[in-house]
Amino acid sequence: RIMRPDDANIAGNVHGGTILKMIEEAGAIISTRHCNSQAEEPCVAALARVERTDFLSPMCIGEVANVSAEITYTSRHSVEVQVNVMSENILTGAKKLTNKATLWYVPLSLKNVNKVLEVPPIQYTRKEQEDEGKKRYEEQKLDRLETKQRNGDVIFPIINPEPHTVGYSQSSLIHLVGPSDCTLLGFVHGGVTMKLMDEVAGIVAARHCKTNIVTASVDAINFHEKIKKGCVITISGRMTFTSNKSMEIEVFVDADPFVDEPRERYRAVSAFFTYVSLSKEGKPLPVPQLLTETEDEKRRFEEGKGRYLQTKAKRQAQMQQAAQQ
Amino acid sequence: RIMRPDDANIAGNVHGGTILKMIEEAGAIISTRHCNSQAEEPCVAALARVERTDFLSPMCIGEVANVSAEITYTSRHSVEVQVNVMSENILTGAKKLTNKATLWYVPLSLKNVNKVLEVPPIQYTRKEQEDEGKKRYEEQKLDRLETKQRNGDVIFPIINPEPHTVGYSQSSLIHLVGPSDCTLLGFVHGGVTMKLMDEVAGIVAARHCKTNIVTASVDAINFHEKIKKGCVITISGRMTFTSNKSMEIEVFVDADPFVDEPRERYRAVSAFFTYVSLSKEGKPLPVPQLLTETEDEKRRFEEGKGRYLQTKAKRQAQMQQAAQQ
Amino acid sequence: RIMRPDDANIAGNVHGGTILKMIEEAGAIISTRHCNSQAEEPCVAALARVERTDFLSPMCIGEVANVSAEITYTSRHSVEVQVNVMSENILTGAKKLTNKATLWYVPLSLKNVNKVLEVPPIQYTRKEQEDEGKKRYEEQKLDRLETKQRNGDVIFPIINPEPHTVGYSQSSLIHLVGPSDCTLLGFVHGGVTMKLMDEVAGIVAARHCKTNIVTASVDAINFHEKIKKGCVITISGRMTFTSNKSMEIEVFVDADPFVDEPRERYRAVSAFFTYVSLSKEGKPLPVPQLLTETEDEKRRFEEGKGRYLQTKAKRQAQMQQAAQQ
């Protein structure tokens, strides 16, 4: 689909959240179709997890986004989908790979939303494909268990914060979940949540560095809990770490089923977004250092630094590998 | 236009904010057209004020909204527009008056946004029309000056609030101003702002009483300051007063021109919304009393009570007048 | 309503699809209202067909679209609606006729969606009006039967196509049908479908000629099959013919009711769109000739040429007639 002015920021770069939403829609369609192909009963695929995603090149207003999706692994109760996004400038014909993402879906029965159905197995052309898929499946399962720990955290508001402190840029957004945000089951599309998360992360980043910013990557996101139509969701973001040219923002989504539900507010999703600051010519700019004040802020900064260095090391290893081939 | 699921809450009642947005679009069209009819130079009419508005009957999904607008007074630099909204059930043919609103617009030059142009005078069929219009003009001018006082107020967040206190239901929403929110001048449409204000007020009301709620009326809203494309706006709402069957919510809009602008965050708009709680059959329900804690909350409650009694007295006087005629 | 940046392409010209959507909404309102005026039972008018439509002059961002609709003929089970769209520049006051369209609607019962209700007859001021209407009715009925043949066609993707071949510009878009796309009956609004069709046709045209393009006309569109909420629709477009200054694009809509429906994917709609290429000054530009490779492509090119010459002849006949009067 063609990128419109509302899909983009003032500098004309398409919001990462718009791309994440398209990716998730493609993933939801292909996995719902697959899970209904040998259906015991009709079902809808619900997003369980998105693997770490890099935004390889910014997309602009007027470009066409081509999204392609493929099922790459199935376990008994989950589907792995690989989605590629290409941006195409239809005036020059130039095409670029914008994004590669891996998503995990779980089929939920249309009749009973708490029932997880079985997934029809796919055929692999080579045995290694199945083995590699199984390895990815086990890894993400482990990671999902770990992130459950992080969920207790709350963002406290700060009065009259100093520039470049954590409190200065932290931001919250509330959203009333409407019908067009939801699947046939009446739960929020994972892509809608990711779009709102990117919006908050982008506001945090822009408040911190007061320049044009774009999403560089998103850490793995786990969707622990479904969010129902009619909920109010609060999406909160705070900066956790800055390197010379990047900012890491932690984003939480809390759901408040405030009408005719006995349930308390709960943490539905959390994730780390990485942003970079761009000059008018599209070159990366240095980022003001984040000033940490409390012990918690200092600890989170160090943890962010750890993630940053790990990612950097991984990327260098990949580049060396690629160079040797 | 036909009301869609996205225009309404879960109970199927169209959001007051959707109606306010349609009203403002109609007002902006008719006054921009009028101000350009004898144009010294091209201009766009900017919303300066909306008079107190009652929602006479709720509109539902599938109904058609008919909006009609008429210019009723012109001063040297402003235009008064009267807008009526009728809801029509196209299945039964039933029509109801949903809303009557009075809006004030000011023509701003397209070449120089800080230049207010002159308004071509309209012709009155009777001299009294002009005199009454002038009286309304003077009254609103006075009122606009008064509300400038209220602007310093800030909403402080409360941690772990008790149910039915002010802190329990207060809510904030942030919104990044995109191109489709804006006029040709690059400033936010007044109607877009009002829709977001109603959204926040509705969330405050629903959090307080945890039932289906609808907008009953909106106090006069003054638009002191323009909001530019690319700003982040924070819309905050807190409950100020409850009667047996209604809730008054104060809403603030603060604009933060956070990219390439030297300006500080500023208060752009503020207003009072009144909500009622409805049963599944659409009957008004009793509202839990607001628990006030601080001196400021108690003072605001008393002020709200004053506005409530004043409105009630005015309405009774009108009904007696109508009965006598 | 005022045209916004999101309604337009990069050059500021409003998408033909936005206009088609407004036309259809106006048609749906007036015909639903009419069919319920002497109601046996409540019904919703569903779009069955849109007659060939010319876009007489492009509309721009900031202009106001005035849409007016009138019922011009009723058969036992269908309503003919004539819709006119005027664009108004509210700064200069200039008005232009943008579009004239004829639409056919059929009333479907709200209680039983497969039941077509009877249409209350309208009064004609002159006998000839009824006769002409009847003639139009018979003609479109015949034409609808014929187009049913074309439905089996499928668009195959081509790898590494040469510029200006059919495969080079062909494009597909998938869309998950959400609640705000649908009528009270839970079926997609015809206008929503037409907007998506125009979007795909526009991408095909831009890929072919790599310039600013606008919709010049749309051939008659028949809506053979309803599309239900929750379906995935695939909209595919391929170029069929080029003249010196125009491109004809064939667009198919296939619906895939992939959840809780035993049904196969089916062809729901198809149509021909004609586009022209415009210079920066808004003048028509020459169009690169379409390179046809397969027998089917050559045949379709010849058929497109036939339609082009027929339309041209018809227009010349009308102009001569107009000149003689």
Side-chain angles (χ1 to χ4, degrees), chain B residues 134-325:
Chain B
K134 184 155 196 186
K135 207 178 132 204
R136 291 194 301 273
Y137 170 72
E138 298 294 350
E139 277 173 7
Q140 63 89 23
K141 207 169 162 181
L142 214 73
D143 189 80
R144 291 186 67 183
L145 284 175
E146 273 173 24
T147 52
K148 285 225 169 164
Q149 310 294 325
R150 234 188 330 134
N151 285 356
D153 234 347
V154 174
I155 291 188
F156 289 100
I158 275 100
I159 316 297
N160 295 326
E162 289 295 305
H164 306 138
T165 58
V166 175
Y168 183 69
S169 58
Q170 71 184 20
S171 306
S172 285
L173 186 157
I174 51 174
H175 176 74
L176 184 58
V177 176
S180 64
D181 299 329
C182 291
T183 66
L184 284 179
L185 289 168
F187 294 107
V188 179
H189 278 290
V192 170
T193 311
M194 290 196 284
K195 188 162 187 281
L196 289 167
M197 292 171 87
D198 179 69
E199 192 174 332
V200 167
I203 289 172
V204 173
R207 278 188 166 152
H208 181 77
C209 64
K210 307 206 172 295
T211 54
N212 178 34
I213 47 86
V214 293
T215 317
S217 68
V218 187
D219 234 55
I221 310 181
N222 295 308
F223 292 82
H224 302 299
E225 296 254 18
K226 295 185 285 284
I227 303 168
K228 213 175 160 181
K229 185 160 72 185
C231 278
V232 168
I233 52 178
T234 306
I235 304 106
S236 317
R238 69 173 162 215
M239 198 161 289
T240 43
F241 167 74
T242 50
S243 73
N244 286 338
K245 298 209 172 159
S246 73
M247 297 160 275
E248 187 195 61
I249 296 116
E250 186 170 20
V251 182
F252 302 104
V253 181
D254 294 304
D256 186 355
F258 70 128
V259 176
D260 71 19
E261 288 273 334
R263 244 191 114 176
E264 282 293 294
R265 182 174 164 144
Y266 60 92
R267 173 68 38 89
V269 198
S270 63
F272 291 101
F273 284 72
T274 300
Y275 273 75
V276 291
S277 165
L278 293 183
S279 72
K280 278 176 187 168
E281 295 74 37
K283 292 267 164 64
L285 290 174
V287 163
Q289 208 196 324
L290 181 68
L291 302 180
T292 53
E293 295 172 315
T294 68
E295 283 312 303
D296 278 345
E297 288 174 13
K298 288 181 207 302
R299 179 181 50 74
R300 284 195 296 263
F301 192 93
E302 287 309 312
E303 289 169 2
K305 196 174 190 172
R307 283 185 294 269
Y308 170 74
L309 294 173
Q310 212 182 343
T311 306
K312 207 172 162 182
K314 228 183 245 176
R315 199 174 297 157
Q316 284 174 341
Q318 283 171 347
M319 283 171 68
Q320 281 182 356
Q321 224 180 350
Q324 283 166 2
Q325 279 170 356

Side-chain angles (χ1 to χ4, degrees), chain B residues 93-110:
Chain B
K95 283 185 193 181
K96 279 177 304 184
L97 183 66
T98 301
N99 210 291
K100 276 174 111 155
T102 306
L103 301 94
W104 294 88
Y105 286 87
V106 170
L108 303 179
S109 163
L110 252 187

Side-chain angles (χ1 to χ4, degrees), chain A residues 102-236:
Chain A
T102 306
L103 302 94
W104 294 88
Y105 288 87
V106 169
L108 304 178
S109 163
L110 250 187
K111 288 169 197 154
N112 172 5
V113 76
N114 294 315
K115 188 175 164 193
V116 177
L117 300 183
E118 296 213 357
V119 173
I122 58 164
Q123 302 299 324
Y124 303 93
T125 46
R126 290 174 298 119
K127 179 74 172 65
E128 300 92 80
Q129 287 182 331
E130 185 167 5
D131 295 343
E132 285 161 19
K134 185 154 194 185
K135 207 177 132 206
R136 291 194 301 272
Y137 170 72
E138 298 295 347
E139 276 173 6
Q140 62 91 23
K141 208 170 162 181
L142 213 75
D143 189 79
R144 291 188 66 185
L145 284 174
E146 273 172 25
T147 52
K148 283 223 169 165
Q149 313 293 326
R150 230 186 336 132
N151 286 356
D153 236 348
V154 174
I155 291 187
F156 291 98
I158 275 99
I159 316 297
N160 294 327
E162 290 295 306
H164 305 137
T165 59
V166 175
Y168 182 70
S169 58
Q170 70 182 24
S171 305
S172 286
L173 184 157
I174 52 174
H175 176 74
L176 184 57
V177 175
S180 64
D181 299 330
C182 291
T183 66
L184 285 178
L185 289 167
F187 294 106
V188 179
H189 280 291
V192 170
T193 312
M194 289 195 285
K195 188 164 188 279
L196 289 166
M197 292 170 87
D198 179 69
E199 192 174 332
V200 168
I203 289 173
V204 172
R207 278 188 167 151
H208 182 78
C209 64
K210 306 206 173 296
T211 54
N212 177 35
I213 48 84
V214 293
T215 317
S217 69
V218 188
D219 233 54
I221 310 180
N222 295 306
F223 292 81
H224 303 298
E225 296 254 17
K226 295 185 287 284
I227 304 169
K228 213 176 157 180
K229 184 160 73 185
C231 278
V232 168
I233 52 178
T234 306
I235 304 104
S236 315

Side-chain angles (χ1 to χ4, degrees), chain A residues 5-6 32-33 88 90-91 110, chain C residues 6 206-207 210 256 258-259:
Chain A
D6 269 15
T32 299
R33 187 187 285 151
E88 177 189 0
I90 47 176
L91 301 185
L110 250 187
Chain C
D6 269 13
R207 276 183 169 154
K210 309 206 173 295
D256 185 356
F258 69 134
V259 177

